[in-house]
Amino acid sequence: MTTTVDLRSDTVTLPTTGMRAAMAAAALGDDVYGDDPSVNALQDKLATMLGFEAAMFVPTGTQSNLCAILSHCGRGDEYIVGQLQHTYRFEGGGAAVFGSVQPQPLEHQPDGSLALADIEAAIKPDDSHFARTRLLALENTWNGKLLPMVYLQQATALAREHGLLRHLDGARLFNAATAQAALTGALVRTEARRIAQCFDSVSVCLSKGLGAPVGSVLCGERAFITRALRVRKMAGGGMRQSGMLAAAGSYALDHQVDRLAQDHLLARRLAEGLRGIGGLQFESPHTNIIFVDLVGEARKRAADFLPYLKKHGVLATGLYRLRFVTHLDVDAAAVDRATAVIRSFFRA
Ligand SMILES: *Cc1c(COP(=O)(O)O)cnc(C)c1O
């Protein structure tokens, strides 16, 4: 009997045995009073690791980004963001709905970046016609792509020159750091900090490749985090004995960062396995996500593809553009099984 190979997302990962033990053993208190030692330990750990004064544990990445934008911006302010960034496209328009903060979306370049000229052109003059441009929000990794460090430095320097604050949606910051460390030879934690230090605030998801069941952490200056705590409460994110969840996050940061490199290797293994299949087009993955476009004749069979995969025990998402994500609950054998099933569909 073979188990399902679930490549829909790295959010499907289940807590490991060691993580469950850490959760069960966590010292607890009421975090709304600031009394939960395990929440405090997680916040301190990530803030210190990334070089920030303070941090705040939140249930989701969506709430983390919302707290960040509403703490940086007020009613009538605007933030510059990519058309396809999570914050703009996949978070229900929260910054506009809850904060009256207007997004200024820009098209992405093929590498995921926002062109410096586009950013500069989008910054409004101080004039009563315009919303006040307050914030630049970037995402790294974006669609599994590592944004080049030089680009991050240039874009955030440009923002700073114009008096803008800078927020990073680093849902997969440690995947970005892992890919960057492979290029530079430095430690993953060193690269995570280098990336984070370009920004005034950074949001990191614990519930994706890091493998925790729940949670994100928002990092920034203490005064910023104090404002963010009010937004979190307003959004209903003040949790009580959340140390059981935070302990999972701390465990992930201690034990499940270095293994992200394996996920990246497996994504490349999948890409290698799919090479040469007619009708499939894809770029070599930077991290743990691979997008595969169906082209030509293959597009006509798009509607049958995912059901076929599912019938043969492989889960993915998409239609004409499929997404496969590797993570700690898939191994090389599982990836090879998925490759074989995909190949068999295109042979038939
Ligand atoms: C998953 C994700 C989020 C938000 O995560 P949730 O915890 O599902 O709300 C934000 N940004 C990016 C880039 C993500 O991938």
Side-chain angles (χ1 to χ4, degrees):
M1 133 93 211
T2 54
T3 51
T4 300
V5 184
D6 193 344
L7 301 174
R8 289 174 301 172
S9 176
D10 45 12
T11 56
V12 302
T13 46
L14 299 180
T16 54
T17 308
M19 182 177 281
R20 287 172 190 261
M23 294 171 76
L28 301 175
D30 187 329
D31 179 54
V32 173
Y33 293 108
D35 281 353
D36 190 302
S38 300
V39 171
N40 292 338
L42 169 67
Q43 292 171 166
D44 291 347
K45 184 192 292 286
L46 195 62
T48 303
M49 196 186 293
L50 299 183
F52 289 100
E53 278 178 5
M56 176 179 77
F57 182 54
V58 284
T60 64
T62 298
Q63 189 173 98
S64 189
N65 285 324
L66 179 71
C67 289
I69 296 172
L70 267 60
S71 301
H72 284 312
C73 304
R75 184 175 163 86
D77 290 346
E78 77 171 2
Y79 72 107
I80 295 174
V81 61
Q83 226 19 291
L84 297 177
Q85 278 178 225
H86 201 280
T87 310
Y88 174 64
R89 195 172 176 93
F90 301 107
E91 295 178 5
V97 174
F98 298 117
S100 299
V101 180
Q102 163 169 284
Q104 166 60 72
L106 300 179
E107 293 298 333
H108 292 267
Q109 300 303 302
D111 69 356
S113 66
L114 309 179
L116 299 180
D118 292 349
I119 294 172
E120 193 153 28
I123 299 171
K124 314 294 183 292
D126 183 6
D127 176 310
S128 61
H129 288 83
F130 303 117
R132 290 175 298 263
T133 313
R134 283 285 291 165
L135 176 71
L136 172 67
L138 297 177
E139 184 176 310
N140 194 19
T141 59
W142 175 80
N143 273 359
K145 289 186 179 183
L146 172 68
L147 297 193
M149 189 66 202
V150 177
Y151 169 73
L152 293 183
Q153 287 163 342
Q154 290 171 340
T156 54
L158 175 70
R160 180 193 273 273
E161 278 162 34
H162 287 83
L164 305 191
L165 295 160
R166 293 92 31 105
H167 173 67
L168 178 68
D169 179 353
R172 295 187 177 85
L173 173 67
F174 285 96
N175 293 92
T178 299
Q180 194 157 294
L183 299 174
T184 63
L187 295 174
V188 173
R189 283 164 183 76
T190 306
E191 293 300 345
R193 188 187 178 100
R194 279 181 73 213
I195 294 169
Q197 281 302 303
C198 295
F199 296 87
D200 298 293
S201 59
V202 174
S203 171
V204 177
C205 283
L206 303 165
S207 59
K208 306 238 161 123
L210 292 177
V214 169
S216 287
V217 178
L218 179 63
C219 300
E221 284 183 355
R222 193 164 302 283
F224 164 81
I225 293 296
T226 301
R227 294 197 297 282
L229 282 165
R230 176 170 276 112
V231 181
R232 184 184 74 171
K233 194 79 185 91
M234 180 185 79
M239 300 183 286
R240 303 294 176 170
Q241 286 75 40
S242 40
M244 290 190 101
L245 301 171
S250 287
Y251 183 88
L253 291 173
D254 289 342
H255 300 284
Q256 298 185 166
V257 168
D258 291 329
R259 59 155 309 289
L260 291 172
Q262 294 171 41
D263 298 345
H264 298 188
L265 277 177
L266 287 182
R268 287 215 293 281
R269 184 183 182 100
L270 180 62
E272 285 309 314
L274 300 182
R275 223 170 281 290
I277 301 179
L280 298 189
Q281 221 167 54
F282 50 89
E283 293 175 30
S284 199
H286 291 181
T287 61
N288 66 328
I289 303 180
I290 170 163
F291 286 94
V292 177
D293 290 318
L294 301 187
V295 297
E297 288 296 304
R299 287 177 79 83
K300 296 186 183 146
R301 301 179 64 204
D304 298 332
F305 187 41
L306 284 189
Y308 178 91
L309 293 188
K310 187 168 182 186
K311 197 173 114 206
H312 292 85
V314 177
L315 302 181
T317 59
L319 180 60
Y320 295 114
R321 161 165 273 214
L322 285 310
R323 190 179 86 152
F324 301 93
V325 186
T326 56
H327 52 74
L328 65 77
D329 289 335
V330 297
D331 57 14
V335 164
D336 292 347
R337 215 153 64 233
T339 307
V341 172
I342 296 167
R343 284 199 162 268
S344 72
F345 177 80
F346 288 100
R347 250 196 319 270

